[in-house]
Amino acid sequence: HVRVNRTITVSSNAHLADGYITMTSFASGDQVHYVCDIGYTPAGGSRYRRCVNGKWTPMLLTCERKSCGSAGEVENGQFVYTGAEFGDTVTAVCNEGYLLVGRGTRTCTNDGWDGRVAVCEAVECEEPQQATNAVRIGTPAQSYMFRSVIGYRCPSGILTGQREIWCTKDGTWSAPPPVCKVRTCDTPNVPNAMWMWKSTPYQYRDIVSFECVRGHVMYGASTVVCGLLMGLSTFSLFSTWPTVLKHN
């Protein structure tokens, strides 16, 4: 028998099976076989080579990268792939208004995708600041997720700011809570008339009704309302006062 003392050329992505690695010489007719490298799988061709008259038969085995398939579905997000074969990676990207919790990258290994499917949780806003003189519409929630809306109203006064605020994708409120500004009117000043007197300022939408003192006649409306001056929103006043004249 002819014995061959030479190194066996190894193809890329494949190597000699463990039982042959330490052997340094082979007799004519000896046979060896190959296995694919980690992360690769046989794609065709014979695993075996034979020593014939001092030469090895051609290497026919071909190996290709293993496929890991789908890395899974990300609820409220998606995976962005560089590929789905050995060595490739996927990165989780959350939808607007959601934040990644934990590891967001997976790698295709010899045993499949490592790690676990990523989790995207909704952004949560903290409790908003207390509104000045304004009250919320509806029952307060235990938590405020992305796109949650809070409405406000004024039990009295004028609302300044947004009537509704919402939780944004950044976990902040779209605007600060509104303010209900109290509008007041001066004490009425109608000579020769009587009305219900108040020790506190007249508030927005307060109504005052007048009566003439004996011997006088009223011209104009007998009732006035504390409201905004037409065209201005910085202060309030009563509508036009009635005129009370002495009756002849």
Side-chain angles (χ1 to χ4, degrees):
H1 296 289
V2 177
R3 302 194 68 84
V4 177
N5 294 290
R6 63 177 62 186
T7 302
I8 303 176
T9 303
V10 180
S11 71
S12 59
N13 307 325
H15 60 274
L16 277 170
D18 291 345
Y20 304 101
I21 293 177
T22 58
M23 296 178 65
T24 58
S25 63
F26 299 87
S28 182
D30 283 351
Q31 180 176 270
V32 296
H33 75 270
Y34 288 77
V35 293
C36 293
D37 293 341
I38 292 177
Y40 290 79
T41 187
S46 174
R47 296 171 179 261
Y48 298 95
R49 297 179 73 184
R50 185 181 298 275
C51 178
V52 178
N53 297 324
K55 293 183 179 181
W56 290 102
T57 56
M59 177 68 173
L60 300 178
L61 175 65
T62 59
C63 298
E64 63 182 14
R65 288 195 297 168
K66 286 185 175 180
S67 174
C68 286
S70 172
E73 298 295 327
V74 181
E75 187 174 0
N76 300 313
Q78 61 182 342
F79 275 128
V80 177
Y81 290 76
T82 62
E85 296 180 336
F86 178 72
D88 290 332
T89 60
V90 292
T91 302
V93 178
C94 295
N95 295 339
E96 182 182 49
Y98 291 83
L99 292 177
L100 180 67
V101 178
R103 181 181 171 190
T105 302
R106 304 184 74 183
T107 301
C108 180
T109 70
N110 187 59
D111 300 317
W113 292 107
D114 67 355
R116 295 181 293 180
V117 175
V119 176
C120 293
E121 291 187 353
V123 169
E124 185 172 347
C125 287
E126 296 181 352
E127 181 75 16
Q129 299 175 358
Q130 184 67 35
T132 303
N133 299 323
V135 295
R136 293 187 191 180
I137 299 174
T139 304
Q142 293 183 347
S143 61
Y144 298 95
M145 301 300 183
F146 173 55
R147 290 178 177 163
S148 294
V149 178
I150 297 178
Y152 294 89
R153 65 177 180 84
C154 290
S156 63
I158 304 299
L159 187 143
T160 301
Q162 301 296 321
R163 290 187 177 275
E164 290 184 338
I165 61 175
W166 60 90
C167 181
T168 69
K169 64 180 181 180
D170 301 319
T172 58
W173 291 101
S174 59
V179 174
C180 292
K181 293 185 177 181
V182 177
R183 304 294 187 180
T184 60
C185 288
D186 296 333
T187 301
N189 181 19
V190 181
N192 303 314
M194 299 179 295
W195 61 89
M196 183 66 70
W197 182 80
K198 285 183 63 176
S199 60
T200 57
Y202 288 93
Q203 306 294 320
Y204 178 64
R205 292 183 178 175
D206 275 354
I207 298 174
V208 178
S209 297
F210 298 94
E211 292 183 7
C212 296
V213 297
R214 181 175 296 182
H216 291 75
V217 177
M218 183 180 299
Y219 296 91
S222 62
T223 300
V224 294
V225 180
C226 179
L228 293 177
L229 178 64
M230 184 66 68
L232 296 177
S233 60
T234 55
F235 62 92
S236 305
L237 80 170
F238 278 106
S239 51
T240 304
W241 304 117
T243 301
V244 179
L245 300 177
K246 188 173 182 179
H247 180 63
N248 294 325

